Amino acid sequence: MAVAVERPANDELRNLSLSGHVGFDSLPDQLVNKSTSQGFCFNILCVGETGIGKSTLMDTLFNTKFESDPATHNEPGVRLKARSYELQESNVRLKLTIVDTVGFGDQINKDDSYKPIVEYIDTQFEAYLQEELKIKRSLFNYHDTRIHACLYFIAPTGHSLKSLDLVTMKKLDSKVNIIPIIAKADTIAKNELHKFKSKIMSELVSNGVQIYQFPTDEETVAEINATMSVHLPFAVVGSTEEVKIGNKMSKARQYPWGVVQVENENHCDFVKLREMLIRVNMEDLREQTHTRHYELYRRCKLEEMGFKDTDPDSKPFSLQETYEAKRNEFLGELQKKEEEMRQMFVMRVKEKEAELKEAEKDLHEKFDHLKRTHQEEKKKVDDKKKELEEELSNFQKKKAAAQLLQSQAQQAGSQQTKKDKDKKNKEQATAGGELV
Ligand code: GDP
């Protein structure tokens, strides 16, 4: 049962003073302790050509050696490779994921290079949304893989941004916090660098590319963030090599003509990047990802699915009502589809029936034709048979007559022979008597 809470007409909050210690001033500490025990997670996406110094910069930033195998320049397309690590500094645990864009800028046709990156970012948002929409969700220990910061590595050409850079940043700017950096800044002269930086910034503005704005609304960080924004894009140098400078070892790159110190602010902006990315704004980057970029993804996705906050008359629309409306719409469509399918089925059956009837008629016609041909053939064979039988009987008759004649002739022949014999015997007997 709903309970109506009555509020005073004057909706203002009254300030009351406490006459003793209550204890809710420990709330921030409670929050810190809870977060510390839970650990944090931070995900960085490095976008830049192969060999521009992405892996080296990550190693330099986190003072460690992450596993990475140098990519070749003959990848057929861009693919994203994510690797997660568990880091600890004092009592703070950080689950860090570094995502590399393998093969970026290596293809002749770079039209689709941004697509795998956009897809990757969306896939992480989608996974989070799916977890959020579950009835039994566990966001508390969910491994959040949404990208919190995108370091965009610009080649130190000294000229301007490449069209690939502009297209990619434009496609990503509503999905992720972009921090542009000029890579390998030790290869560009100081006076050129200044011009190069302003050229890049004006190109970003004229192309409407939104990069991450360091927050200036919070007092403690407003000043440093405002100062640092002026130095964008940061010109960085990466190195994991330790060189002895004075009596101290520091990260540097050694050349025949001198040493570039990574952490020397006169040499490059590495320290500024580390301050902005890790030491000052890491939490803001996480928050912006959730409240701005993820929120936008979620809103578009839910709207795409048909969810709205208000009905056509701009009246608030509850999730339940939207669900019911969507369900009814779906059921209506289902019924329509069912009816269409039924009609189609009836039509198909009729068509098949007509086809079968036609085939039956053909078969009958063929059968009749065959029957007629067979009868004609049979008659011909019968006639022939009769003819042959007649011929045979004539032949038999002739044969019998011939045999009769032959036997008569033989009989006549044998009687003559006997007569001749008798005659001869008589003659011989007569001759014998005369002699005696
Ligand atoms: P990835 O392919 O973008 O990850 O590039 P790698 O970090 O593997 O670096 C490629 C090459 O560039 C290696 O030989 C690095 O030593 C070198 N490199 C990295 N960072 C810098 C830099 O700031 N300046 C210069 N001159 N070379 C760098």
Side-chain angles (χ1 to χ4, degrees), residues 158-161 182 191-206 230-233:
H159 290 262
S160 57
L161 285 169
I182 299 170
N191 58 339
E192 281 178 4
L193 182 64
H194 190 67
K195 276 189 234 150
F196 189 38
K197 279 190 176 189
S198 27
K199 182 93 202 285
I200 291 170
M201 289 316 277
S202 71
E203 276 186 328
L204 290 178
V205 172
S206 60
V230 181
H231 297 279
L232 276 169

Side-chain angles (χ1 to χ4, degrees), residues 49-56 184-187 236-238 253 255:
E49 295 161 20
T50 308
I52 203 166
K54 301 184 292 292
S55 321
T56 312
K184 296 188 178 179
D186 51 329
T187 60
V236 295
V237 173
R253 294 189 78 85
Y255 294 102

Side-chain angles (χ1 to χ4, degrees), residues 41-286:
C41 119
F42 193 63
N43 306 320
I44 303 178
L45 167 68
C46 295
V47 183
E49 295 161 20
T50 308
I52 203 166
K54 301 184 292 292
S55 321
T56 312
L57 189 76
M58 286 300 109
D59 291 351
T60 321
L61 268 174
F62 288 93
N63 246 328
T64 187
K65 178 86 193 88
F66 297 114
E67 33 180 322
S68 70
D69 8 73
T72 60
H73 286 274
N74 39 27
E75 290 277 335
V78 179
R79 71 187 159 84
L80 279 88
K81 194 164 78 185
R83 280 194 170 134
S84 297
Y85 308 89
E86 184 92 32
L87 308 177
Q88 181 153 1
E89 190 172 40
S90 329
N91 63 339
V92 178
R93 283 180 300 112
L94 180 72
K95 200 180 270 178
L96 176 74
T97 299
I98 298 172
V99 185
D100 194 2
T101 47
V102 183
F104 187 77
D106 285 333
Q107 295 75 39
I108 296 172
N109 183 351
K110 301 182 182 70
D111 288 357
D112 292 340
S113 296
Y114 70 89
K115 281 188 185 161
I117 310 175
V118 170
E119 272 165 26
Y120 180 87
I121 296 172
D122 282 349
T123 308
Q124 313 318 311
F125 282 150
E126 185 61 32
Y128 191 87
L129 180 64
Q130 288 305 325
E131 187 61 37
E132 236 186 19
L133 292 176
K134 274 185 191 167
I135 306 260
K136 229 175 124 188
R137 53 193 187 169
S138 52
L139 289 170
F140 168 74
N141 55 4
Y142 175 78
H143 180 197
D144 190 359
T145 53
R146 294 172 299 173
I147 300 294
H148 300 117
C150 163
L151 291 182
Y152 197 96
F153 289 67
I154 299 164
T157 58
H159 290 262
S160 57
L161 285 169
K162 297 177 186 177
S163 54
L164 172 66
D165 298 330
L166 279 171
V167 170
T168 310
M169 280 197 256
K170 187 82 199 126
K171 295 282 178 191
L172 297 183
D173 71 353
S174 60
K175 296 180 177 290
V176 70
N177 299 311
I178 301 176
I179 302 177
I181 55 177
I182 299 170
K184 296 188 178 179
D186 51 329
T187 60
I188 191 163
K190 203 170 177 178
N191 58 339
E192 281 178 4
L193 182 64
H194 190 67
K195 276 189 234 150
F196 189 38
K197 279 190 176 189
S198 27
K199 182 93 202 285
I200 291 170
M201 289 316 277
S202 71
E203 276 186 328
L204 290 178
V205 172
S206 60
N207 285 283
V209 177
Q210 286 283 321
I211 58 167
Y212 172 64
Q213 300 295 314
F214 301 130
T216 47
D217 43 6
E218 205 190 304
E219 226 179 283
T220 48
V221 293
E223 198 185 325
I224 183 169
N225 277 345
T227 326
M228 292 292 184
S229 298
V230 181
H231 297 279
L232 276 169
F234 298 131
V236 295
V237 173
S239 176
T240 44
E241 199 190 327
E242 297 270 343
V243 177
K244 191 161 186 187
I245 294 153
N247 51 8
K248 207 170 126 228
M249 296 299 282
S250 43
K251 287 199 194 70
R253 294 189 78 85
Q254 257 184 313
Y255 294 102
W257 60 87
V259 174
V260 180
Q261 295 166 38
V262 170
E263 297 185 16
N264 185 334
E265 291 204 52
N266 288 321
H267 291 190
C268 73
D269 299 332
F270 173 81
V271 170
K272 294 186 181 74
L273 172 69
R274 190 176 59 196
E275 287 291 309
M276 290 295 93
L277 178 73
I278 304 172
R279 299 190 180 170
V280 180
N281 296 312
M282 203 182 225
E283 183 47 28
D284 185 70
L285 284 159
R286 283 157 37 91

